[in-house]
Amino acid sequence: MKRLLLALSLTLSAAALAPVPVRAGATDSDEERAARWTEIKKTIFGDRAVEVNDAAVKIDAPVRALDASLVPIGLTLADKDNVKGLYFIIDDNPSPYAAHFTFGPAADPGEIKMRVRVNNYTNVHAVVETKDGKLVETAKFVKASGGCSAPMGMSDEEAMKGMGDMRMKFSDGQGGKPVEATLMVRHPNFSGMQMNQVTRDYTPARYVDKLDVTHGDQLVFHLDGDISIASNPVIHFGIKPDGKGPVTVAATDNQGGRWEHKFELPSASN
């Protein structure tokens, strides 16, 4: 609901600027893009200051995406021990708010990787929230088009088979050092903009909206997601192997689906 209100708010804000509205597109000027980002920041962060610091987080993204519905994004955080949360925002998507990670004590938040949909030529922003409450941003321009409306290439029924199934791959633990993990979740993440190729109707939005990863009784991260995360989400992250017990993943979607799986963390080796 928050993201739908965000999209509506941005639309109304743009209309209020007539006769010179802020429009998304490949021909937008730097001034138009800056004005749109100002509106997005105000909607998400209110009056909180957001400082520009390209050194705080590095965005690894293709300049021109090969597939707008599966755009690989890597986010590397410089001062990982001082990070509380991380926002990823795709300015010109229908719902710009793509993902918000909140990190717990079992997280090693040095690097996050995921795949997203990009609907138009756009700036993408990564905003780091530090433990003392500061917000720091960096941006990158990505050329892509049509990612949110791209069809799945199969029927809706086929896309939903096995929904909620999960797999987890771990790197080998090395003497207590952080373990790299890659989580794969089976879910179509329908955006609400995709047309069913058989019925010619639009498939209702159904996407993973919350995901919690814990190690034993400690939080690794909580994710608030939206339609901009690609189908069958894949998330790469780091875990501190300090706790006891399995790695548990609990996911919900906006239609009330809920799934939970447990994975054994590999034993540390010297």
Side-chain angles (χ1 to χ4, degrees), residues 104-115:
D108 179 69
E111 184 179 55
I112 294 287
K113 294 181 180 178
M114 57 186 174
R115 304 183 304 189

Side-chain angles (χ1 to χ4, degrees), residues 203-220:
T203 302
R206 183 166 189 175
Y207 55 89
V208 175
D209 60 351
K210 295 185 185 300
L211 192 150
D212 285 282
V213 178
T214 56
H215 179 209
D217 60 357
Q218 291 189 328
L219 178 69
V220 180

Side-chain angles (χ1 to χ4, degrees), residues 48-51 82 85 127-136:
R48 297 176 67 186
V50 183
E51 302 175 8
N82 191 35
V127 179
V128 175
E129 182 175 16
T130 63
K131 290 180 179 178
D132 59 1
K134 293 181 180 178
L135 297 171
V136 184

Side-chain angles (χ1 to χ4, degrees), residues 1-8 43-45 87 95 97 100 207 224 226:
M1 180 61 70
K2 177 181 178 181
R3 268 77 76 190
L4 292 176
L5 291 173
L6 167 60
L8 178 61
T43 303
I44 297 176
F45 303 113
Y87 296 81
S95 180
Y97 188 111
H100 176 208
Y207 55 89
D224 290 304
D226 210 301

Side-chain angles (χ1 to χ4, degrees), residues 4-214:
L4 292 176
L5 291 173
L6 167 60
L8 178 61
S9 173
L10 292 172
T11 301
L12 294 174
S13 297
L17 296 175
V20 188
V22 179
R23 293 196 177 110
T27 60
D28 281 357
S29 67
D30 290 343
E31 290 76 16
E32 288 173 313
R33 295 189 188 282
R36 182 163 175 79
W37 175 233
T38 297
E39 291 294 327
I40 292 170
K41 283 193 296 184
K42 183 177 180 180
T43 303
I44 297 176
F45 303 113
D47 295 330
R48 297 176 67 186
V50 183
E51 302 175 8
V52 177
N53 185 346
D54 291 340
V57 53
K58 176 186 175 184
I59 302 175
D60 184 11
V63 175
R64 184 182 294 275
L66 295 177
D67 184 342
S69 65
L70 289 170
V71 181
I73 299 294
L75 305 170
T76 304
L77 286 71
D79 188 9
K80 64 180 183 179
D81 293 331
N82 191 35
V83 172
K84 176 182 177 182
L86 175 65
Y87 296 81
F88 188 70
I89 298 159
I90 306 172
D91 294 17
D92 292 327
N93 269 14
S95 180
Y97 188 111
H100 176 208
F101 293 86
T102 302
F103 299 108
D108 179 69
E111 184 179 55
I112 294 287
K113 294 181 180 178
M114 57 186 174
R115 304 183 304 189
V116 300
R117 298 178 170 120
V118 177
N119 209 53
N120 212 328
Y121 285 36
T122 183
N123 283 329
V124 299
H125 283 85
V127 179
V128 175
E129 182 175 16
T130 63
K131 290 180 179 178
D132 59 1
K134 293 181 180 178
L135 297 171
V136 184
E137 65 157 281
T138 189
K140 186 168 185 177
F141 187 69
V142 176
K143 296 179 180 179
S145 182
C148 292
S149 58
M152 293 283 291
M154 62 185 75
S155 69
D156 293 352
E157 292 74 18
E158 289 175 312
M160 294 174 69
K161 283 182 179 178
M163 189 165 59
D165 289 348
M166 300 182 195
R167 289 186 294 162
M168 183 93 78
K169 293 181 179 180
F170 299 102
S171 66
D172 291 333
Q174 298 292 325
K177 292 182 180 179
V179 174
E180 294 183 4
T182 301
L183 170 66
M184 294 153 279
V185 181
R186 178 76 175 175
H187 197 289
N189 258 30
F190 292 130
S191 67
M193 299 173 60
Q194 297 151 309
M195 181 178 287
N196 185 300
Q197 300 302 297
V198 177
T199 66
R200 310 305 290 175
D201 293 327
Y202 287 97
T203 302
R206 183 166 189 175
Y207 55 89
V208 175
D209 60 351
K210 295 185 185 300
L211 192 150
D212 285 282
V213 178
T214 56

